């Protein structure tokens, strides 16, 4: 969607944290006029108008900022909203989702194509590919695969954990960890007996965005009170969009998770990139 010479720059609504990160990494953040609630990085994105949660959008909210292009991560909705947006006079491009190296590169290529920045997209993809290769080399050299469980939330004494076929499962694998709750599919409440028998050695949670899961809260839950993770008080918290966003910084998130749970490995930092220099929150 290259812009004719002299044409006005597009006014982009970015829906999905990875979409927003990619646009800023491409150097096109000045074209983004609004984002959704999952767009937490970089800080400039958090200062933009918020059109709501990615899966609970209203057509009026999205269109009220006067976009000329809407880039939405696959799964944005509800479907009725997406139908209204697609029938409006504003182009809507749906970016394919996914939770592995290939999926991240597909997202970059799709966003770059949508905004006519294919060359910049190829350059970004090359940097991210190098980061994944460096991560892969680190993980292959690790001597063990600790058993970890990702806890999404906890209320009423029950923990919702990330099983197989989830972004949580994918990031654990990228970090050289074994998902202790892989027998569950999706994000679901963990039965106390199943969680204890899985014997996780560590618990991973999200920080920021109103998350309040700390070690005292998690290890007081019956599901984890008697586990090796509770005994050693091994809990790692990383920003949610960083950990589960599967945007350009995914190799860095996996590296940081691996370093936290393999403290003796002394993993090197990934190469500095201009688009990942800003601290997360």
């Amino acid at each position: 969607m290259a812009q004719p010479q002299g044409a006005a720059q597009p006014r982009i609504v970015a829906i999905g944290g990875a979409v927003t990160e990619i646009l800023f990494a491409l150097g096109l953040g000045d074209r983004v006029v609004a984002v959704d609630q999952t767009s937490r990085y970089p800080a400039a994105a958090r200062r933009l108008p918020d059109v709501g949660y990615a899966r609970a959008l209203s057509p009026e909210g999205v269109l009220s900022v006067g976009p000329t292009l809407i880039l939405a991560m696959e799964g944005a909705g509800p479907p009725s909203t997406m139908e209204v947006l697609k029938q409006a006079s504003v182009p809507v491009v749906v970016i394919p989702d996914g939770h592995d190296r290939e999926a991240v590169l597909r997202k970059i290529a799709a966003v770059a194509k949508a905004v006519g920045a294919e060359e910049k997209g190829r350059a970004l993809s090359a940097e991210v590919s190098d980061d994944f290769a460096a991560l892969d080399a680190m993980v292959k050299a690790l001597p063990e695969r600790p058993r970890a469980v990702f806890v999404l939330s906890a209320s009423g004494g029950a923990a919702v954990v990330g099983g197989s076929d989830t972004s949580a499962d994918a990031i654990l694998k990228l970090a050289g960890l074994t998902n202790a709750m892989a027998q569950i599919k999706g994000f679901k409440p963990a039965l106390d007996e199943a969680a204890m028998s899985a014997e996780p050695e560590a618990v991973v949670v999200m920080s920021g965005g109103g998350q309040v899961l700390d070690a005292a809260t998690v290890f007081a839950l019956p599901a984890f009170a008697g586990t090796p993770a509770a005994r050693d008080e091994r809990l790692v918290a990383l920003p949610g969009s960083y950990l589960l966003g599967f945007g350009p910084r995914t190799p860095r998130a996996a590296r940081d998770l691996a370093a936290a749970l393999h403290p003796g490995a002394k993993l090197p930092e990934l190469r500095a990139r201009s688009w990942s220099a800003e601290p997360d929150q």
Side-chain angles (χ1 to χ4, degrees), residues 21 40-44 46-47 239 241-242 249 252 256 273-281:
E21 281 197 33
R40 305 292 302 161
Y41 189 92
R46 299 194 296 273
R47 294 191 288 269
S241 62
Y242 183 51
R249 297 179 302 147
R252 297 166 191 279
D256 289 353
R273 308 291 187 190
S274 61
W275 40 264
S276 66
E278 186 179 304
D280 212 321
Q281 71 165 27

Side-chain angles (χ1 to χ4, degrees), residues 149 161 180-181 183 190-200 222-224 227:
V149 57
V161 301
M181 302 306 295
Q183 73 274 18
L191 297 175
D192 295 350
E193 297 81 2
M196 291 183 68
S197 64
E199 297 191 322
F224 302 114
T227 64

